[in-house]
């Protein structure tokens, strides 16, 4: 089995499939994917089998594959029970059934391609014998068989020509060209070897280059797998976000809604659905059926010309005039009861039309709401991908807007204060510059005075000492404040931790219970799912068996019905012949001469006697013709000679008239004399 799977994987990785499977990935394929691989292999053999199984029903898939395998003459090992298991395995995509089929197909692909091509033209259509009694059907079937035989002969000739191959001269040219290319390649390889042998450790370098190539290929393969896993992770995250959003919206709806409102909403939906099912959909279905019947009637009728259309238009105009006259007569009666009923009918029709219009508007609004919800979910996912925050909706959005408005008023006030502060800052900056200039002037004057007194630098050292003492006092104050803040923060954190622990203790207990319950439910779900899968597979196999049995019984019923009709026809023919035979016997036995004359035997004997008399007369005539044939032939020959003689005399006479200028011929005493 492992060798079989290895051969299948190697064949699928080659041209023209290029599946890039290994033993693990191929063995982990799901039944649907395995059936798709089998369909792709069959499509390579027969291009008509190129089908996406997601767009095809399972019954059609099984029927199509079984018919193709039957054409390709695949024989599964085993008896009749194994054949039924083979069909079931092909329906559900069982690996013990699919693997041998793939191995058999991939072993002889070219041979099966040829067989599938020939099957398109050589599978004979079986025509029932009762239909072959018709002359046209029999002639068509005979022509079909002759064309099939002609195709066989042509295909044999084609295969013989294909097997003959090229001529010896062309083969020799190809061999000489290939030998030249081989010599050139050998020379290039030797030249490269000489260049490489000069380098140190060239064998080691070749080994390293080979390993580098292998690692690069492996790196590409790993990068591809990494990209695929990233895509899968991205899709999984998106799916998780969608599910979380749905769960959140459902929880919000369940938290906000009351039982009375939920019941009221459900009653409205039930009423709407009942109206759609009982009134609207049946009317639409009836209208569609009428349209379909009308279109089928139009299609079944022959093509209409211009005269037919004019005739139909005239009929329509006549019917419309009759309808208008009937309406006028009805209005002339002016019956009060009918008038009241007509008012009620009008009101009822108006109400029904309004009801239908509102139902259509509600349906359109529901569809529009569903599309808008889909768009909103897409936009929400996009915004979450961009900045990672959720989009607000409903009351949260209103609160957010009100908060924004209050913040905008505060922002305007603060902006005005900032503008005032900026103006004041400009004034203070200017005064600061002026004071700095005055301070610099005073400092220069002080330095000059200190230099005069002999104590230069006294003011600078005094300022530095004051500044250092001020900094020391500030640092001491900051140290005291930080120590107090840290002690208060530690106390707060300890109190918060104790509060959170006490609050989370009950939640943790509930979470443990819920986890145990979740594990039990997941186990039960897996068990139920496995039971469901096995039951579904069994029901599917039983259903396929029953469908095959029903199909077989239907075919037998049709055959028996056709045989019944054929035997009825034969019985009727035999009854007619028997009736004619009895009538003939009655006429032949009866003493009445007129009835005897009506008998077919008497008519046939009379016709035979007439034909015998006619034959005798014709034989006598033939005898007379044979006896007079020789003299008549001689007489005909004499007449032909006479005609020839007369033609000769005519020619001589014409020549005599044309030669009058040369001389004159005189006939005297049976002699001709020429006088010049």
């Amino acid at each position: 089995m492992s060798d079989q799977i290895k051969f299948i994987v190697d064949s699928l990785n080659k041209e023209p499939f290029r599946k890039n499977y290994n033993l693990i990935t191929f063995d982990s394929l799901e039944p649907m994917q395995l059936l798709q691989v089998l369909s792709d292999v069959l499509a390579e053999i027969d291009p008509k089998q190129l089908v996406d199984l997601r767009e095809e029903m399972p019954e059609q898939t099984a029927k199509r594959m079984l018919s193709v395998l039957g054409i390709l003459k695949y024989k599964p090992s085993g008896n009749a029970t194994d054949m039924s298991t083979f069909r079931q395995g092909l329906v559900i995509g069982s690996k013990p059934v699919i693997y041998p089929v793939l191995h058999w197909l991939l072993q002889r692909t070219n041979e099966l391609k040829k067989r599938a091509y020939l099957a398109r033209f050589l599978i004979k259509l079986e025509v029932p014998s009762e239909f072959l009694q018709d002359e046209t059907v029999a002639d068509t079937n005979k022509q079909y068989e002759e064309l099939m035989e002609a195709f066989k002969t042509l295909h044999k000739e084609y295969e013989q020509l294909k097997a003959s191959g090229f001529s010896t001269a062309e083969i020799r040219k190809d061999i000489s060209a290939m030998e030249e290319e081989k010599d050139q390649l050998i020379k290039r390889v030797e030249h490269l070897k000489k260049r490489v042998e000069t380098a140190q450790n060239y064998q080691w370098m070749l080994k390293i280059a080979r390993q580098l190539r292998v690692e690069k290929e492996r790196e590409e393969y790993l990068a591809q797998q990494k990209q695929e896993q990233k895509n899968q992770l991205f899709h999984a995250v998106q799916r998780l976000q969608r599910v979380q959003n749905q769960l959140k919206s459902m929880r919000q709806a369940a938290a906000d809604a009351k039982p009375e409102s939920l019941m009221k909403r459900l009653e409205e939906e039930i009423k709407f659905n009942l109206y759609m099912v009982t009134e609207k959909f049946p009317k639409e279905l009836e209208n569609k059926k009428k349209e379909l019947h009308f279109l089928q009637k139009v299609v079944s009728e022959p093509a209409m010309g211009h005269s037919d259309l004019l005739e139909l238009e005239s009929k329509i105009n006549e019917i419309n005039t009759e309808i208008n006259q009937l309406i006028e007569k009805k209005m002339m009666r002016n019956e009060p009861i009918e008038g009241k009923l007509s008012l009620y009918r009008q009101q009822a029709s108006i109400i029904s039309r309004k009801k239908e219009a509102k139902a259509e508007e509600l349906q359109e609004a529901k569809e529009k709401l569903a599309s808008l919800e889909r768009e909103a979910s897409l936009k929400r996912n996009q915004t979450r991908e961009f900045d990672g925050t959720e989009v607000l909706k409903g009351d949260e959005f209103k609160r957010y807007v009100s908060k924004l408005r209050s913040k905008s008023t505060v922002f305007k006030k603060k902006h005005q204060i900032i503008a005032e502060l900026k103006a004041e800052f400009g004034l203070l900056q200017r005064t600061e510059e002026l004071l700095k200039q005055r301070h610099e002037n005073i400092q220069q004057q002080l330095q000059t005075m200190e230099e005069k007194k002999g104590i230069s630098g006294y003011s600078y050292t005094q300022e530095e000492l004051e500044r250092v003492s001020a900094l020391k006092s500030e640092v001491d104050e900051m140290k005291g404040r930080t120590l107090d803040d840290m002690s208060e923060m530690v106390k707060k954190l300890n109190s918060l931790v104790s509060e959170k622990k006490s609050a989370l203790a009950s939640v943790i207990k509930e979470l443990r219970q819920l986890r145990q319950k979740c594990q039990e439910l997941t186990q039960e779900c897996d068990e139920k799912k496995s039971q469901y899968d096995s039951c579904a597979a069994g029901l599917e196999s039983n259903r396929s068996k029953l469908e095959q049995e029903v199909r077989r019984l239907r075919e037998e019923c049709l055959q028996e019905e056709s045989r019944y009709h054929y035997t009825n026809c034969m019985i009727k023919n035999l009854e007619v012949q028997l009736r004619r035979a009895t009538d003939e016997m009655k006429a032949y036995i009866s003493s009445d001469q007129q009835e005897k004359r009506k008998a077919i035997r008497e008519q046939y004997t009379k016709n035979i006697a007439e034909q015998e008399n006619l034959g005798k007369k014709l034989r006598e005539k033939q005898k007379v013709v044979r006896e007079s044939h020789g003299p008549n032939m001689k007489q005909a020959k004499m007449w032909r000679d006479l005609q020839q003689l007369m033609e000769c005399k005519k020619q001589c006479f014409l020549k005599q008239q044309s030669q009058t200028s040369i001389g004159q011929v005189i006939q005297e005493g049976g002699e001709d004399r020429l006088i010049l």
Side-chain angles (χ1 to χ4, degrees):
M1 190 71 179
S2 60
D3 296 333
Q4 194 179 52
I5 296 171
K6 189 175 180 183
F7 175 76
I8 292 167
V9 171
D10 293 335
S11 301
L12 290 174
N13 290 334
K14 294 177 184 176
E15 291 286 338
F17 302 102
R18 289 186 180 181
K19 294 292 185 180
N20 293 328
Y21 288 143
N22 54 29
L23 294 174
I24 297 168
T25 55
F26 180 75
D27 192 57
S28 62
L29 289 176
E30 295 180 357
M32 192 69 181
Q33 295 173 342
L34 202 59
L35 285 172
Q36 185 64 54
V37 171
L38 179 58
S39 180
D40 293 340
V41 174
L42 291 173
E44 181 61 25
I45 293 168
D46 187 3
K48 287 185 179 180
Q49 306 302 319
L50 186 60
V51 179
D52 190 359
L53 297 185
R54 293 173 294 182
E55 300 174 358
E56 191 180 31
M57 296 296 290
E59 297 84 5
Q60 296 177 356
T61 303
K63 186 177 179 182
R64 177 174 61 82
M65 289 184 178
L66 285 170
S67 63
V68 174
L69 291 173
I71 290 169
L72 298 177
K73 296 181 180 179
Y74 174 73
K75 294 180 181 178
S77 60
N79 50 15
T81 56
D82 292 333
M83 285 297 294
S84 63
T85 55
F86 172 77
R87 292 192 186 94
Q88 294 173 12
L90 194 63
V91 170
I92 63 174
S94 178
K95 292 178 181 178
V97 174
I98 302 291
Y99 284 173
V101 177
L102 284 173
H103 185 262
W104 185 80
L105 292 173
L106 294 170
Q107 268 185 339
R108 43 182 71 82
T109 306
N110 295 324
E111 178 186 350
L112 295 176
K113 280 183 181 178
K114 182 179 176 182
R115 190 175 293 172
Y117 169 75
L118 293 175
R120 292 168 56 192
F121 306 101
L122 296 181
I123 291 178
K124 189 176 180 181
L125 295 172
E126 294 295 332
V127 182
S129 58
E130 55 266 24
F131 294 116
L132 288 173
Q133 293 178 0
D134 191 2
E135 293 180 359
T136 56
V137 175
D139 293 335
T140 307
N141 188 32
K142 187 177 179 182
Q143 188 179 1
Y144 166 71
E145 290 175 354
E146 289 174 358
L147 289 171
M148 190 180 289
E149 294 296 328
F151 174 77
K152 286 180 182 178
T153 54
L154 288 172
H155 185 72
K156 286 179 182 177
E157 291 176 2
Y158 167 72
E159 290 294 330
Q160 289 174 1
L161 291 171
K162 190 176 178 182
S164 63
F166 299 102
S167 63
T168 54
E170 292 179 352
I171 292 170
R172 285 172 184 170
K173 286 180 182 178
D174 292 338
I175 290 169
S176 60
M178 290 169 72
E179 286 179 351
E180 289 178 359
E181 290 179 359
K182 182 181 176 183
D183 294 335
Q184 291 176 3
L185 289 171
I186 290 168
K187 289 178 182 178
R188 287 180 65 184
V189 169
E190 289 177 353
H191 181 65
L192 290 171
K193 278 185 179 180
K194 288 178 182 178
R195 288 179 61 186
V196 172
E197 284 175 356
T198 56
Q200 294 180 356
N201 298 325
Y202 76 96
Q203 291 288 342
W204 179 74
M205 292 171 71
L206 285 173
K207 186 177 179 182
I208 294 298
R210 194 178 296 111
Q211 290 178 358
L212 177 63
R213 179 176 57 78
V214 172
E215 291 298 326
K216 280 185 177 180
E217 291 176 355
R218 188 180 175 190
E219 183 183 0
E220 290 176 358
Y221 177 70
L222 291 173
Q224 187 178 0
Q225 280 191 344
K226 184 179 178 182
Q227 187 64 33
E228 290 177 357
Q229 290 177 358
K230 280 185 179 179
N231 293 330
Q232 291 176 1
L233 180 63
F234 177 70
H235 292 310
V237 170
Q238 283 186 342
R239 201 180 301 116
L240 179 63
Q241 288 175 356
R242 286 197 297 271
V243 172
Q244 286 178 351
N245 291 329
Q246 290 176 2
L247 181 62
K248 188 176 179 182
S249 61
M250 289 173 71
R251 282 178 178 172
Q252 287 178 356
D256 296 337
K258 294 179 180 178
E260 292 82 3
S261 61
L262 286 172
M263 290 295 292
K264 190 175 181 181
R265 196 184 308 157
L266 287 171
E267 286 176 357
E268 290 176 356
E269 287 182 359
I270 289 166
K271 286 179 182 178
F272 175 73
N273 291 327
L274 279 172
Y275 168 73
M276 295 294 286
V277 171
T278 56
E279 295 183 14
K280 192 170 186 302
F281 287 158
K283 287 181 182 178
E284 290 181 355
L285 184 62
E286 190 66 28
N287 293 328
K288 294 293 182 184
K289 284 182 178 178
K290 287 180 181 178
E291 289 180 3
L292 180 63
H293 179 68
F294 178 71
L295 292 172
Q296 287 177 352
K297 190 176 179 182
V298 170
V299 169
S300 62
E301 289 180 355
M304 301 176 69
H306 186 66
S307 60
D308 297 330
L309 291 173
L310 292 173
E311 187 177 353
L312 285 174
E313 286 180 357
S314 64
K315 286 182 181 178
I316 290 165
N317 293 326
E318 290 175 0
I319 291 166
N320 286 328
T321 53
E322 289 179 1
I323 290 166
N324 292 326
Q325 290 174 3
L326 291 171
I327 291 168
E328 289 175 359
K329 287 179 181 179
K330 189 176 180 182
M331 291 175 69
M332 291 293 289
R333 290 177 184 173
N334 291 325
E335 294 181 0
I337 298 170
E338 290 290 331
K340 291 179 181 179
L341 290 174
S342 64
L343 286 173
Y344 289 131
R345 287 196 192 100
Q346 288 177 0
Q347 289 177 1
S349 63
I350 289 165
I351 290 166
S352 64
R353 283 198 295 272
K354 285 183 179 179
K355 194 175 181 182
E356 289 177 357
K358 292 297 180 183
E360 289 178 357
E361 288 178 2
L362 181 60
Q363 190 70 20
E364 291 176 358
K366 282 187 175 182
E367 292 175 356
K368 192 173 181 181
L369 178 63
S371 64
L372 290 172
E373 285 179 353
R374 286 196 295 271
E375 290 180 3
S377 64
L378 289 172
K379 298 292 183 184
R380 203 178 293 120
N381 293 328
Q382 289 177 0
T383 53
R384 193 180 293 109
E385 289 172 3
F386 288 141
D387 54 0
T389 57
E390 293 185 357
V391 179
L392 301 175
K393 56 184 179 180
D395 298 333
E396 293 181 358
F397 184 73
K398 289 179 182 178
R399 288 195 293 271
Y400 179 70
V401 170
S402 62
K403 198 182 290 184
L404 277 178
R405 286 174 181 170
S406 61
K407 285 184 179 180
S408 64
T409 54
V410 173
F411 170 74
K412 288 177 182 177
K413 290 179 182 178
K414 298 291 183 184
H415 188 69
Q416 188 176 1
I417 293 167
I418 287 167
E420 293 174 356
L421 290 172
K422 280 183 179 179
E424 190 174 355
F425 175 72
L427 293 171
L428 292 171
Q429 194 172 8
R430 181 61 181 164
T431 53
E432 184 184 3
E433 289 177 356
L434 294 172
L435 289 170
K436 281 182 179 179
Q437 289 178 1
R438 288 177 64 186
H439 179 69
E440 288 176 356
N441 294 327
I442 291 167
Q443 287 290 333
Q444 288 177 1
Q445 291 175 4
L446 183 61
Q447 286 177 2
T448 54
M449 288 175 69
E450 285 176 354
E451 287 175 355
K452 286 179 182 179
K453 299 292 184 178
I455 52 172
S456 60
Y458 175 75
S459 61
Y460 178 72
T461 54
Q462 190 176 1
E463 288 177 357
E464 285 292 324
L465 287 171
E466 289 175 356
R467 187 172 64 79
V468 168
S469 62
L471 285 172
K472 186 175 180 299
S473 62
E474 288 178 359
V475 168
D476 293 335
E477 289 178 359
M478 286 176 68
K479 283 181 180 179
R481 283 199 302 272
T482 52
L483 288 171
D484 295 335
D485 293 337
M486 286 174 71
S487 62
E488 289 178 0
M489 191 177 290
V490 168
K491 289 179 182 178
K492 286 180 180 179
L493 288 172
N494 288 325
S495 63
L496 283 171
V497 167
S498 61
E499 289 176 0
K500 294 291 182 183
K501 281 183 179 179
S502 61
L504 288 172
S506 60
V507 177
I508 289 167
K509 289 181 181 178
E510 291 178 359
L511 183 62
R512 286 174 183 170
Q513 294 175 359
L514 290 172
R515 279 179 180 172
Q516 290 177 358
K517 193 174 181 180
C518 178
Q519 288 177 359
E520 292 174 357
L521 290 172
T522 50
Q523 289 177 359
E524 188 177 356
C525 178
D526 293 335
E527 291 175 359
K528 297 291 183 184
K529 189 177 180 182
S530 62
Q531 290 176 3
Y532 169 76
D533 292 335
S534 62
C535 183
L539 291 173
E540 186 71 24
S541 62
N542 290 330
R543 188 171 65 83
S544 62
K545 284 181 183 177
L546 291 172
E547 285 180 352
Q548 290 174 2
E549 189 174 357
V550 168
R551 198 178 298 113
R552 181 177 59 77
L553 291 172
R554 281 181 179 173
E555 290 175 356
E556 289 179 0
C557 181
L558 290 172
Q559 289 176 1
E560 294 296 330
E561 190 176 354
S562 63
R563 196 178 294 117
Y564 167 73
H565 290 302
Y566 178 69
T567 51
N568 275 337
C569 292
M570 293 299 291
I571 288 165
K572 287 181 181 178
N573 289 329
L574 291 171
E575 286 176 354
V576 170
Q577 291 177 4
L578 183 61
R579 197 181 302 117
R580 288 175 66 185
T582 52
D583 293 338
E584 182 69 19
M585 288 295 295
K586 286 179 183 178
Y588 184 71
I589 293 166
S590 68
S591 59
D592 193 0
Q593 294 296 326
Q594 290 182 357
E595 289 184 359
K596 280 188 176 182
R597 288 174 186 173
K598 291 179 182 178
I600 296 170
R601 183 173 179 179
E602 293 293 331
Q603 292 177 5
Y604 279 141
T605 54
K606 187 178 178 182
N607 290 330
I608 289 166
E610 289 176 356
Q611 293 296 325
E612 285 178 354
N613 293 328
L614 184 62
K616 286 179 182 179
K617 290 178 182 179
L618 290 172
R619 280 195 293 274
E620 290 175 358
K621 194 174 180 180
Q622 185 182 10
K623 185 178 179 182
V624 172
V625 169
R626 282 179 180 174
E627 289 175 354
S628 62
H629 178 69
N632 287 335
M633 289 298 292
K634 288 179 181 179
Q635 190 176 2
K637 187 178 181 185
M638 290 170 69
W639 279 107
R640 282 196 296 271
D641 293 341
L642 179 61
Q643 186 180 2
Q644 192 174 1
L645 183 61
M646 295 302 291
E647 286 288 334
C648 183
K649 283 187 177 184
K650 182 182 176 183
Q651 294 293 331
C652 291
F653 179 72
L654 292 173
K655 282 182 183 179
Q656 185 180 0
Q657 284 184 352
S658 63
Q659 292 176 1
T660 51
S661 61
I662 299 170
Q664 191 174 4
V665 177
I666 299 172
Q667 294 181 355
E668 291 180 355
E671 295 179 355
D672 294 333
R673 286 188 297 167
L674 179 61
I675 300 170
L676 296 174

